[in-house]
């Protein structure tokens, strides 16, 4: 008679540098592991990507070393790369972080542009426990145009897994995919590659308190921001390759006691990060304010910076990108990170004059300016009005909404609706978020790896830039 064994997979995903949750996560994982060790039941501890987020000072000021240290201390055995890791860190930074990591980095569909897999990335991991062989694969969502600018070739995950799973099936009893693709793609993946036994999901921040089933494939996911820890249990029969049963649950961490050792480690890295970002880059002789609803000097300065960063006819950026103004006195990179924490990059596009006109009309409508938006890198509160450079607009607020513009000039020449202009802007708009006319841009070029705060830092240090930021671009009718 064959003996049955139970294998446990403890998993997290989309923590996004929520350091406040990490000490509680550690306690949950350590408690589960001690129990399983006492029961002689094998387990794996896994993260499914987007563990790091530069919105937090601990991550920004240490280039992710704080996250790596906490992952190591927490006892992760395998992780995969989320889009946040791949899009907000350079290849050199990721190599430095993961080269000698005490855990396996699984990225089955990630290669260098030259087609090679870096030494610190593993395309698969096969683990044997009590006579049963388990194969692990990891994939991340593909944004090929952007990834290529950072030196990565992120292949189509469905095509890659269709091949890899068939090969892996010959040598293992159980296949687990760490999927940073999103729930909709996970469902599709389970349909297209039914040989997968377990999909650990992420990216769309979905919480599956009970697992989903697509055929014989089980999909599990633990939500977002470290609010839950996932626990998958698989019962297998030794020597027969038979899976006798699978289940999954999610454990909330809110009321769990925080681990003091992890808290201390986070505190130490926080101090190091603050020190690294505290050095002043300039001294302001007067404050630079931001206003989400009206034109402001700091918003104009960001628009000026985008126009200077790229060769374009004009620039457009929403005021909500700046979460606060700059006070008189020293300005540090730490302060710029506080007011502009988003992992949002500059970009350039071709846009029709009509789309520019409609965008400016929307910027004069309260409902647009007050829109609450989430995701796609945005870490702010509301969309805000449009700040611009290279453009001057005259408007009449007494007119009906979307009919308020009286004159728009680009580089001193009247705007032509049918003409296509080079516009310096931000990548968020290209994803259909915020001012929707911007999604119609063509010939889009992304400028990586710099963020908007890097553009702001550069522009602040240019001669005459601060004085020029006070020059008005929006002119009300007299």
């Amino acid at each position: 008679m064959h003996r049955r064994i139970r294998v446990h997979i403890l998993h997290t995903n989309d923590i996004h540098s929520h350091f406040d949750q990490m000490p509680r996560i550690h306690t949950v994982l350590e408690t589960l592991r001690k129990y399983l060790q006492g029961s002689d039941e094998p387990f794996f501890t896994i993260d499914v990507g987007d563990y790091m987020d530069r919105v937090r000072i601990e991550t920004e000021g240490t280039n992710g070393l704080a996250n790596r240290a906490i992952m190591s201390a927490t006892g992760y055995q395998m992780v995969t790369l989320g889009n946040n890791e791949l899009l907000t860190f350079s290849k050199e930074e990721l190599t430095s972080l993961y080269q000698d990591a005490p855990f396996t980095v699984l990225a089955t569909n990630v290669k260098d542009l030259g087609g090679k897999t870096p030494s610190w990335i593993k395309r698969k991991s096969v683990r044997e426990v009590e006579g049963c062989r388990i194969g692990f694969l990891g994939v991340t969502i593909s944004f090929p145009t952007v990834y290529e600018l950072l030196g990565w070739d992120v292949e189509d995950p469905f095509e890659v897994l269709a091949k890899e799973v068939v090969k892996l099936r010959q040598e293992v009893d159980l296949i687990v995919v760490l999927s940073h693709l999103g729930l909709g793609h996970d469902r599709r993946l389970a349909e297209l590659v039914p040989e997968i036994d377990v999909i650990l999901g992420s990216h769309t921040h979905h919480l599956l308190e009970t697992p989903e089933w697509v055929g014989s494939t089980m999909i599990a996911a633990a939500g977002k921001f470290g609010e839950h820890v996932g626990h998958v249990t698989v019962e297998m029969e030794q020597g027969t390759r038979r899976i006798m049963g699978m289940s999954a649950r999610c454990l909330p961490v809110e009321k769990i006691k925080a681990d003091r050792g992890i808290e201390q480690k986070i505190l130490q890295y926080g101090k190091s990060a603050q020190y690294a970002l505290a050095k002043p880059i300039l001294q302001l002789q007067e404050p630079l304010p931001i206003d989400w609803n009206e034109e402001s000097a700091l918003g104009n300065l960001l628009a000026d910076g985008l126009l200077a960063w790229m060769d374009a006819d004009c620039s457009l950026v929403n005021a909500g990108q700046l979460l606060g103004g700059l006070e008189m006195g020293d300005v540090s990179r730490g302060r710029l990170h506080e007011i502009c924490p988003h992992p949002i990059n500059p970009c350039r596009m071709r846009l029709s004059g009509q789309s520019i006109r409609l965008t400016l009309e929307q910027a004069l409508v309260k409902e647009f300016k007050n829109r609450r938006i989430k995701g796609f890198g945005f870490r702010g509160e509301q969309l805000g009005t449009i700040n611009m450079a290279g453009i001057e607009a005259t408007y009449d607020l007494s007119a009906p909404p979307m009919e308020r513009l009286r004159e728009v000039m680009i580089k001193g020449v009247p705007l032509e609706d049918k003409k296509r202009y080079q516009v310096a802007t931000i990548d968020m708009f290209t994803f259909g978020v915020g001012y929707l006319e911007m999604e119609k841009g063509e010939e889009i070029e992304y400028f990586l790896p710099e963020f908007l705060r890097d553009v702001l830092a550069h522009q602040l240090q240019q001669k005459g830039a601060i004085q020029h930021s006070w020059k008005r671009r929006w002119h009300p009718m007299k």
Side-chain angles (χ1 to χ4, degrees):
M1 183 175 179
H2 296 285
R3 186 169 77 89
R4 292 188 180 187
I5 64 166
R6 293 204 302 173
V7 178
H8 301 266
I9 301 171
L10 314 177
H11 59 100
T12 59
N13 59 272
D14 296 292
I15 289 179
H16 284 279
S17 286
H18 276 255
F19 285 93
D20 51 317
Q21 297 286 58
M22 294 176 190
R24 297 184 184 90
I25 291 170
H26 182 280
T27 299
V28 172
L29 291 172
E30 193 63 14
T31 302
L32 285 169
R33 288 188 295 238
K34 285 181 179 178
Y35 173 79
L36 295 172
Q37 285 171 339
S39 304
D40 287 326
E41 296 189 8
F43 59 84
F44 299 95
T45 307
I46 291 171
D47 184 78
V48 198
D50 277 5
Y51 189 91
M52 300 192 291
D53 195 319
R54 301 193 84 121
V55 70
R56 285 293 293 255
I57 197 80
E58 296 92 340
T59 304
E60 177 76 359
T62 66
N63 283 327
L65 283 174
N67 300 74
R68 218 284 302 255
I70 303 305
M71 294 183 88
S72 301
T74 302
Y76 286 97
Q77 296 161 277
M78 283 174 274
V79 306
T80 197
L81 300 171
N83 52 288
N84 242 54
E85 282 86 13
L86 285 170
L87 292 176
T88 66
F89 291 84
S90 68
K91 186 185 291 185
E92 292 72 26
E93 288 170 333
L94 289 177
T95 299
S96 177
L97 281 172
Y98 292 129
Q99 187 70 63
D100 59 348
F103 45 77
T104 299
V105 180
L106 280 173
T108 311
N109 67 326
V110 178
K111 296 179 180 179
D112 285 330
L113 280 181
K116 294 183 178 179
T117 302
S119 60
W120 53 271
I121 288 179
K122 304 302 178 188
R123 289 180 65 82
K124 68 177 182 178
S125 179
V126 176
R127 309 289 179 100
E128 186 167 335
V129 290
E130 300 193 24
C132 293
R133 290 171 62 83
I134 304 173
F136 294 90
L137 301 168
V139 287
T140 194
I141 191 88
S142 180
F143 302 118
T145 304
V146 185
Y147 285 136
E148 287 174 10
L149 295 173
L150 290 165
W152 295 115
D153 176 12
V154 179
E155 302 171 290
D156 182 287
F158 299 98
E159 293 179 7
V160 169
L161 286 176
K163 298 174 184 175
E164 293 295 329
V165 167
V166 169
K167 291 189 290 185
L168 190 59
R169 185 82 271 177
Q170 306 305 311
E171 55 179 304
V172 300
D173 308 306
L174 179 78
I175 293 179
V176 179
V177 172
L178 284 58
S179 166
H180 200 85
L181 302 179
L183 183 56
H185 289 314
D186 289 344
R187 292 165 176 158
R188 179 182 169 216
L189 177 62
E191 291 177 355
L192 294 176
V193 192
E195 296 86 359
I196 298 169
D197 299 302
V198 178
I199 295 175
L200 303 178
S202 63
H203 184 55
T204 46
H205 298 184
H206 48 288
L207 175 66
L208 299 180
E209 296 185 270
T210 56
E212 282 197 14
W213 290 86
V214 177
S216 60
T217 302
M218 186 177 75
I219 303 173
K224 63 179 180 179
F225 305 157
E227 294 168 356
H228 293 80
V229 168
H231 181 188
V232 168
T233 303
V234 181
E235 190 170 356
M236 306 172 69
E237 192 173 61
Q238 278 185 324
T240 67
R241 288 196 166 187
R242 291 177 62 193
I243 298 171
M244 308 305 293
M246 295 191 293
S247 62
R249 60 175 179 160
C250 291
L251 305 171
V253 308
E254 182 183 5
K255 296 180 180 179
I256 301 298
K257 185 177 179 180
D259 182 87
R260 290 305 301 271
I262 298 296
E263 284 184 327
Q264 285 299 115
K265 200 175 281 286
I266 292 169
L267 185 63
Q268 291 168 1
Y269 275 99
K271 290 178 179 177
S272 298
Q274 288 175 343
Y275 180 80
L277 296 173
K279 183 179 178 181
I281 60 173
L282 80 153
Q283 190 174 68
L284 285 179
Q285 302 305 311
E286 60 181 334
L288 279 177
I290 183 65
D291 189 324
W292 295 336
N293 296 305
E294 303 292 340
E295 181 177 1
S296 60
L298 190 57
N300 286 346
L301 187 111
L302 178 57
D304 289 340
L306 286 168
L307 187 56
W309 199 263
M310 299 164 267
D311 180 24
D313 299 310
C314 59
S315 70
L316 300 169
V317 62
N318 62 305
Q321 295 294 337
L322 299 170
L323 308 189
L326 293 175
E327 302 79 15
M328 183 172 66
D330 290 341
V331 178
S332 66
R333 287 196 175 272
R335 178 57 181 155
L336 294 182
H337 179 269
E338 286 178 12
I339 69 169
C340 193
H342 331 274
I344 289 176
N345 307 102
C347 79
R348 181 171 58 195
M349 63 174 68
R350 288 275 182 189
L351 196 63
S352 71
Q354 182 183 39
S355 288
I356 293 173
R357 185 187 299 278
L358 287 171
T359 298
L360 298 183
E361 285 280 16
Q362 291 168 354
L364 293 169
V365 177
K366 183 179 179 181
E367 287 73 20
F368 274 95
K369 292 188 285 189
N370 290 346
R371 282 182 63 192
R372 303 277 171 169
I373 55 176
K374 287 186 177 181
F376 299 92
F378 189 68
R379 306 291 190 255
E381 295 184 33
Q382 72 179 67
L383 182 61
T385 190
I386 283 287
N387 293 118
M388 55 197 183
I391 303 179
E392 295 205 26
T394 303
Y395 63 94
D396 181 2
L397 281 182
S398 67
M402 302 303 293
E403 298 177 18
R404 291 171 173 169
L405 286 177
R406 293 295 172 260
E407 183 180 61
V408 180
M409 308 288 284
I410 294 186
K411 290 186 174 180
V413 178
L415 176 82
E416 298 178 37
D417 281 355
K418 294 184 179 180
K419 184 175 179 178
R420 295 168 73 244
Y421 295 88
Q422 280 272 31
V423 180
T425 186
I426 57 175
D427 62 7
M428 185 182 87
F429 290 158
T430 70
F431 306 132
V433 180
Y435 287 98
L436 302 183
E437 282 294 316
M438 305 291 287
E439 189 182 11
K440 297 178 180 178
E442 299 175 341
E443 300 174 33
I444 297 169
E445 301 172 81
Y446 298 98
F447 289 73
L448 301 168
E450 293 84 8
F451 301 116
L452 295 186
R453 54 184 171 271
D454 298 310
V455 173
L456 202 58
H458 180 266
Q459 188 65 12
L460 278 165
Q461 297 174 80
Q462 303 309 300
K463 186 177 180 180
I466 292 173
Q467 291 82 353
H468 188 260
S469 71
W470 289 97
K471 183 179 183 296
R472 294 194 65 85
R473 296 95 199 266
W474 287 98
H475 306 286
M477 291 283 288
K478 296 180 180 178

